[in-house]
């Protein structure tokens, strides 16, 4: 994880991108997506679960397993020791969180 891919947040969560993405080359888009990742961590109070890192594991996309799913990035939140924060989704425990991105807002920010 290069230092240019890390952004310290007010909640203490570092945001990094696993793969190179065209969103990273657009500073406004990158900033918007990273803010949404931080916002979800705050809304879910992941600080209570000692989340310190957020790794964006995808580009912004729609669909996936659920074809009707709106635009999102897939994110893994973890603790300092690397253990992943999990959630129950559709009856299954998973460490992948979907951070939904409003495409109109994202484009306006970039």
């Amino acid at each position: 994880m290069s230092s240019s891919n890390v952004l310290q947040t007010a909640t203490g969560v570092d945001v990094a991108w696993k793969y190179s993405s065209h969103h990273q080359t657009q500073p406004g888009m990158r900033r918007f997506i990273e803010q949404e990742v931080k916002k979800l961590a705050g809304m879910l109070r992941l600080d209570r679960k000692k989340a310190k890192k957020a790794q964006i594991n995808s580009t912004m996309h729609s669909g996936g397993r659920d074809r009707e799913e709106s635009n999102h990035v897939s994110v893994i939140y973890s603790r300092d020791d690397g253990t992943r924060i999990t959630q129950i989704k559709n009856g299954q425990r998973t460490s992948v969180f979907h951070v939904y991105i409003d495409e109109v807002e994202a484009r306006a920010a970039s």
Side-chain angles (χ1 to χ4, degrees):
M1 179 182 332
S2 75
S3 60
S4 66
N5 282 347
V6 176
L7 176 66
Q8 182 68 27
T9 71
T11 61
V13 176
D14 293 329
V15 178
W17 297 72
K18 182 173 182 177
Y19 302 107
S20 181
S21 164
H22 65 280
H23 303 308
Q24 289 175 274
T25 62
Q26 301 170 11
M29 180 72 79
R30 176 184 175 146
R31 187 172 34 257
F32 183 84
I33 291 171
E34 289 175 352
Q35 287 172 347
E36 293 300 298
V37 168
K38 293 183 277 182
K39 189 187 303 181
L40 181 64
M43 287 174 35
L44 296 177
R45 302 295 308 261
L46 295 183
D47 56 326
R48 291 182 176 177
K49 293 186 176 188
K50 299 184 169 100
K52 295 292 182 186
K53 301 172 187 169
Q55 184 175 49
I56 299 171
N57 282 354
S58 70
T59 60
M60 185 171 59
H61 63 282
S62 60
R65 290 185 183 161
D66 176 358
R67 292 180 187 198
E68 301 301 315
E69 197 166 24
S70 59
N71 284 330
H72 64 278
V73 291
S74 299
V75 178
I76 294 175
Y77 294 97
S78 61
R79 298 176 183 88
D80 268 342
D81 65 4
T83 57
R84 294 176 173 188
I85 307 295
T86 61
Q87 66 175 333
I88 303 295
K89 184 174 181 179
N90 299 326
Q92 300 283 330
R93 182 166 297 281
T94 180
S95 61
V96 178
F97 290 74
H98 289 176
V99 179
Y100 296 95
I101 308 295
D102 183 307
E103 193 169 2
V104 173
E105 285 184 46
R107 296 210 185 289
S110 57

